[in-house]
Amino acid sequence: MSEIIEINYGPLAALIGVWKGDKGIDIAPESDGTEENPYYETITFEEGGDLTNGEEQVLAVLHYRKIVKRKSDDGIFHDETGYWMWDAKENVIMHSLNIPRAVSLLAGAKLNDSNYKNGKLSIDISAGIDNEDWGIVQSPFMKQKALTKNYRQELTVENGKMICSETTMLEIYGRAFEHTDKNELTLQS
């Protein structure tokens, strides 16, 4: 008989499941200004187990996929996949993401007691092109035309609700631009 091993997902356990939200607002750059798009999204977080790096670091892993659709035409305008990881020994949370615009990043932060208590999870992670630990990789075309300089994501999860805010600092259309997405999601299952 095989032994069942329980994975300690720590703070990531609060994310597991399917989340849906229809209150999203995307503020994006246009060549002649700014465009606002109301959207809805689905984020699916699935248990990925644990893995060991270099026989020392043990990470609890969730795989996720986020699909974002415009309310105006039901068209997908953002498709993202990646992993959320938690290093319990170091109490570090990490988020790797890929979008099909040839941009990838690894964001992270050290957690403390205030991040996860009384059933409420608060995460504030970031990455930057000049950050030695939490970096951004992008294709030469994106570096030239739509450079992502910094990324920040804030998540709050409590009582089956998730408030998500992402801010990306871009160099696009010859100017600096703060691209923001905000939404409130509800746990479906």
Side-chain angles (χ1 to χ4, degrees):
M1 185 191 293
S2 64
E3 181 181 337
I4 296 175
I5 299 173
E6 289 289 323
I7 306 298
N8 177 8
Y9 287 98
L12 296 180
L15 301 177
I16 297 170
V18 177
W19 296 81
K20 293 188 177 189
D22 63 358
K23 298 173 178 64
I25 297 292
D26 172 65
I27 302 170
E30 289 291 320
S31 60
D32 59 353
T34 301
E35 176 182 59
E36 289 190 21
N37 283 301
Y39 67 86
Y40 57 93
E41 69 185 304
T42 301
I43 308 174
T44 304
F45 295 93
E46 297 176 329
E47 296 176 38
D50 63 5
L51 60 87
T52 302
N53 285 331
E55 299 179 10
E56 293 178 35
Q57 182 188 46
V58 177
L59 300 176
V61 179
L62 299 181
H63 177 261
Y64 81 97
R65 184 165 187 206
K66 175 166 53 171
I67 301 291
V68 183
K69 296 182 178 184
R70 282 183 194 88
K71 286 185 175 181
S72 63
D73 63 6
D74 203 36
I76 294 174
F77 73 96
H78 187 83
D79 185 345
E80 174 182 311
T81 190
Y83 295 92
W84 281 86
M85 297 152 283
W86 181 56
D87 178 342
K89 181 179 175 185
E90 298 296 325
N91 207 21
V92 171
I93 199 156
M94 294 166 271
H95 178 202
S96 66
L97 71 87
N98 298 290
I99 58 172
R101 294 179 185 271
V103 177
S104 300
L105 67 83
L106 177 63
K110 189 156 183 94
L111 299 182
N112 59 49
D113 292 339
S114 68
N115 293 104
Y116 192 64
K117 64 180 180 180
N118 301 324
K120 181 178 180 180
L121 173 64
S122 298
I123 300 172
D124 186 349
I125 56 171
S126 60
I129 59 172
D130 295 327
N131 188 316
E132 291 181 16
D133 295 323
W134 310 112
I136 299 170
V137 178
Q138 48 209 311
S139 71
F141 177 87
M142 293 302 283
K143 285 180 182 177
Q144 182 182 26
K145 299 291 185 176
L147 176 69
T148 301
K149 296 181 76 173
N150 292 294
Y151 172 86
R152 181 176 181 194
Q153 183 176 29
E154 297 172 275
L155 286 178
T156 302
V157 179
E158 184 176 25
N159 297 324
K161 299 276 186 207
M162 177 189 298
I163 307 295
C164 184
S165 173
E166 293 180 355
T167 303
T168 308
M169 296 304 298
L170 303 170
E171 291 287 334
I172 189 167
Y173 304 121
R175 71 186 202 283
F177 188 86
E178 183 176 292
H179 176 221
T180 60
D181 290 315
K182 294 181 182 179
N183 203 355
E184 179 181 314
L185 300 99
T186 304
L187 184 61
Q188 305 296 301
S189 62

